[in-house]
Amino acid sequence: MTLPSSPTAPAPTATAAFDQLLEKVRYEGVYPTRRQAQDVVRRVLEALGRQLTGDERMELAARLPQEAATFLTTQIPTGRPLTGWGFVKDLAQGSAGTPATTRWDTGSVLGVVARIAGDDLTSRIVSQLPEGYALLFGRAELLRAA
C-alpha cells in the first residue's frame, strides 16, 4: 500500500520571511503589536548597519529577509566604533526609550538575528565589534586576552 504523496509547500516569499522575523521579535520582546516590533527591528538594524563593516556585514545581509537586510545595508558605517553599552545609549538617544528599554529592544532583535545568522557568522560579527556586543546577541561575554 502506498501513501499518497503530499504536495510540497511553496518556498517562503521574502515578505513571509520578514513577517516570520517580526513575529519572532514580537514574541521574544513581548511587544503588543506587529508595528512596534517592526519599528524596533528597523531601529536596531539601522544602528547595527552604522557599526558593522566588511564581509560580515554582507553575509549577514544575505541571510536576513530582504526588508531587514535593507535596514542594515542602507546605513553608512560611521567609523566611530561604539562599545555594546555605547551602542545602546546611542540608540536610546535617538528614540523615546530609556537605556533599559533600549537594551531590551536590542537584545530582542539581535537574539533573533543571531539565530538567523548562525553560530559561525555571529561569532565573527561579535569579534569584529568592540566589547559588550556578545550579551546583546544573547551570548556570554568573554574577556579578551590583553
Side-chain angles (χ1 to χ4, degrees), residues 19-29 112 115-116:
D19 287 343
Q20 290 172 344
L21 178 135
L22 291 180
E23 283 307 311
K24 287 177 185 174
V25 169
R26 183 178 175 197
Y27 177 79
E28 293 200 14
V112 171
R115 287 193 299 282
I116 292 170

Side-chain angles (χ1 to χ4, degrees), residues 30-130:
V30 194
Y31 300 110
T33 66
R34 181 182 185 279
R35 177 70 179 171
Q36 189 175 4
Q38 184 171 347
D39 288 344
V40 168
V41 167
R42 179 189 49 76
R43 283 187 290 116
V44 171
L45 289 180
E46 285 176 349
L48 183 62
R50 291 188 293 274
Q51 294 297 306
L52 194 58
T53 62
D55 292 341
E56 290 78 15
R57 176 185 170 105
M58 300 318 301
E59 269 188 68
L60 179 58
R63 294 182 190 190
L64 291 172
Q66 181 61 45
E67 193 167 343
T70 300
F71 296 148
L72 178 78
T73 59
T74 57
Q75 300 302 305
I76 298 170
T78 64
R80 182 179 61 108
L82 298 171
T83 63
W85 179 237
F87 178 84
V88 170
K89 287 192 317 185
D90 188 60
L91 194 53
Q93 288 175 349
S95 69
T98 66
T101 59
T102 303
R103 166 59 179 92
W104 178 266
D105 294 344
T106 303
S108 297
V109 173
L110 295 182
V112 171
V113 166
R115 287 193 299 282
I116 292 170
D119 287 337
D120 178 59
L121 178 56
T122 300
S123 293
R124 288 187 288 131
I125 289 169
V126 168
S127 69
Q128 177 193 357
L129 296 167

